[in-house]
């Protein structure tokens, strides 16, 4: 029974890995802003999470990947000498919902910590972004509508490409560029350490960030339902965000899979920086067929990028949970 349960979980997570919408999560927001209101159930809801993903080329089993992803390579237990690319992307988020009748308010804040290193070319990316947002929506009997305004702020984003010919730093803290925590780690230092040492972070996020808007509409209260949306609508450039030609002395640790030392040597050619993600049109439909399939598409007219996905699993897990309790 235990083995069958593990197999079932692996199959289900494999299906969910192609997902644009997460049926199991009450915090759906990436595909369609209205899903935040659509999934609101209680007067007050709180949530948070920490996720970590790695890229490397030397592991043979999923158990090794999970172990390395969660714990790092402490004591150099795994031999990663043959891995040209090592990378860890860690995200931490805190979310809340307040439902007042048909109105829904949902603030959110998240931190993205990226360490990426290519040993064959010595290209790398070391980045720390903070994102905040506020959703305002309506949850009717058979529909949901809402919009989320978001602010994104680079504490730092250092990229080295093309053998150092493209070596840049982007930051919203130009006066502190030589003192920024380039070796900061969400996994080892924790979110609180960042805020303790940067008391102006929230003020800058509210007043200096890159502002975008997501809007969405969902018809239907459960399964089936259909949704349309537009995401990453540009609203305002970031204020006081600068880009530099840079150079740094760095050391990437194969034990922690992060930059263990990072000394910015110089930063020159200061210029104002602003960059929006391409805005996208989105569509999804929930189909109550056995596993509750949720096909979805995203299309960016400016870049002609087209993305599709199929999620499944809401009723599968719900029914399995109740089956196990009988």
């Amino acid at each position: 029974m235990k083995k069958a349960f593990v197999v079932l979980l692996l199959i289900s997570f494999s299906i969910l890995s192609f997902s644009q919408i997460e049926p199991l999560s009450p915090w759906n927001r990436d595909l369609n802003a209205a899903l935040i209101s659509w999934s609101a159930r209680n007067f007050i809801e709180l949530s948070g999470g920490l996720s970590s993903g790695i890229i490397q080329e030397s592991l043979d089993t999923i158990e090794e990947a999970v172990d390395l992803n969660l714990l790092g390579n402490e004591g150099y237990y795994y031999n990663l000498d043959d891995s040209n690319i090592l990378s860890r992307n860690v995200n931490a988020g805190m979310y809340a919902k307040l439902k007042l009748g048909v109105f829904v308010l949902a603030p959110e804040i998240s931190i993205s910590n990226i360490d990426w290193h290519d040993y064959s070319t010595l290209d790398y990316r070391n980045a720390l972004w903070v994102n905040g947002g506020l959703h305002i929506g309506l949850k009717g009997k058979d529909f949901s509508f809402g919009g989320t305004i978001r602010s994104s702020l680079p504490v730092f984003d250092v990229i080295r490409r093309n053998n150092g010919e493209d070596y840049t730093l982007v930051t919203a803290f130009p006066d502190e560029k030589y003192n920024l925590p380039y070796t900061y780690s969400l996994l080892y230092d924790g979110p609180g350490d960042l805020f303790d040492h940067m008391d102006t972070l929230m003020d800058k996020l509210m007043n200096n960030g890159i502002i975008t808007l997501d809007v969405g509409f969902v018809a239907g209260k459960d399964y089936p339902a259909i949704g349309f949306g537009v995401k990453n609508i540009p609203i305002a450039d970031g204020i006081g965000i600068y880009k530099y030609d840079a150079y740094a002395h760095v050391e990437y640790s194969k034990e922690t899979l992060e930059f263990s030392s990072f000394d910015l040597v110089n930063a020159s050619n200061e210029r104002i920086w602003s960059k929006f993600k391409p805005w996208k049109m989105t569509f999804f439909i929930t189909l109550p067929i056995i596993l509750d399939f949720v096909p979805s598409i995203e299309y960016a007219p400016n870049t002609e990028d087209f993305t599709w996905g199929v999620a499944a699993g809401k009723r599968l897990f719900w029914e399995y949970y109740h089956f196990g309790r009988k």
Side-chain angles (χ1 to χ4, degrees):
M1 181 64 182
K2 182 179 179 181
K3 184 176 180 180
F5 180 70
V6 171
V7 171
L8 178 63
L9 284 179
L10 291 175
I11 293 174
S12 302
F13 283 126
S14 298
I15 295 172
L16 287 169
S17 66
F18 294 96
S19 171
Q20 295 291 319
I21 169 181
E22 302 172 17
L24 292 173
S25 172
W27 305 99
N28 294 310
R29 60 193 181 280
D30 291 334
L31 178 69
N32 186 310
L35 285 169
I36 299 176
S37 294
W38 182 77
S39 59
R41 296 292 184 265
N42 303 312
F43 173 62
I44 296 178
E45 299 176 50
L46 301 173
S47 181
L50 179 69
S51 61
S52 173
I54 64 167
I55 299 174
Q56 58 75 51
E57 304 164 349
S58 297
L59 301 185
D60 299 321
T61 67
I62 189 172
E63 290 83 1
E64 291 180 348
V66 171
D67 183 50
L68 186 63
N69 188 44
L70 295 178
L71 303 177
N73 193 25
E74 294 186 10
Y76 298 98
Y77 184 79
Y78 298 108
N79 183 4
L80 302 180
D81 290 339
D82 294 332
S83 295
N84 287 331
I85 295 177
L86 290 173
S87 174
R88 189 196 293 272
N89 188 341
V90 185
N91 296 282
M94 295 176 288
Y95 316 101
K97 289 183 190 178
L98 177 63
K99 186 173 180 292
L100 301 171
V102 298
F103 295 98
V104 177
L105 296 177
E108 61 181 72
I109 185 169
S110 63
I111 306 171
S112 179
N113 185 194
I114 300 170
D115 295 287
W116 182 91
H117 197 283
D118 187 332
Y119 282 92
S120 62
T121 63
L122 298 182
D123 291 349
Y124 62 78
R125 183 183 181 194
N126 182 24
L128 184 65
W129 282 77
V130 178
N131 307 282
L134 177 64
H135 171 82
I136 302 175
L138 295 173
K139 179 179 175 62
K141 181 178 180 181
D142 296 311
F143 76 95
S144 295
F145 173 78
T148 303
I149 188 164
R150 288 195 174 91
S151 175
S152 299
L153 188 80
V155 178
F156 58 81
D157 198 331
V158 187
I159 297 177
R160 184 188 191 276
R161 293 194 183 99
N162 302 322
N163 294 318
E165 293 182 8
D166 182 15
Y167 202 145
T168 60
L169 161 68
V170 172
T171 180
F173 296 85
D175 296 334
E176 300 292 329
K177 57 183 175 290
Y178 291 105
N179 300 312
L180 291 170
Y182 295 103
T183 56
Y184 173 80
S185 168
L186 269 171
L187 287 179
Y188 293 94
D189 298 326
D193 187 73
L194 175 68
F195 290 101
D196 290 342
H197 291 82
M198 304 185 72
D199 55 2
T200 62
L201 184 61
M202 293 304 296
D203 178 69
K204 279 186 171 289
L205 183 63
M206 295 174 61
N207 297 293
N208 296 67
I210 301 167
I211 309 299
T212 59
L213 175 68
D214 299 349
V215 294
F217 175 80
V218 178
K221 63 180 180 179
D222 195 0
Y223 285 72
I226 187 171
F228 302 90
V230 181
K231 58 189 289 188
N232 300 328
I233 303 170
I235 301 297
D237 296 342
I239 300 173
I241 300 176
Y242 293 94
K243 182 177 181 179
Y244 300 86
D245 296 328
Y247 181 75
H249 292 307
V250 305
E251 183 176 337
Y252 189 87
S253 170
K254 288 189 176 181
E255 182 175 30
T256 63
L257 304 183
E258 295 173 320
F259 289 98
S260 56
S261 66
F262 197 109
D263 298 318
L264 188 69
V265 177
N266 61 60
S268 59
N269 191 22
E270 180 183 88
R271 61 266 197 201
I272 295 175
W273 182 88
S274 181
K275 184 178 181 181
F276 289 108
K277 295 179 180 179
W279 68 275
K280 296 181 179 181
M281 299 181 293
T282 70
F283 167 81
F284 76 88
I285 184 171
T286 63
L287 301 175
I289 304 174
I290 305 176
L291 301 181
D292 291 339
F293 286 100
V294 185
S296 63
I297 59 174
E298 294 184 359
Y299 176 68
N302 292 340
T303 60
E304 297 186 353
D305 289 339
F306 179 83
T307 306
W308 65 274
V310 178
K314 179 178 180 180
R315 196 165 301 164
L316 171 67
F317 277 88
W318 180 255
E319 292 299 333
Y320 189 90
Y321 171 71
H322 281 276
F323 174 79
R325 294 185 61 183
K326 289 179 181 178

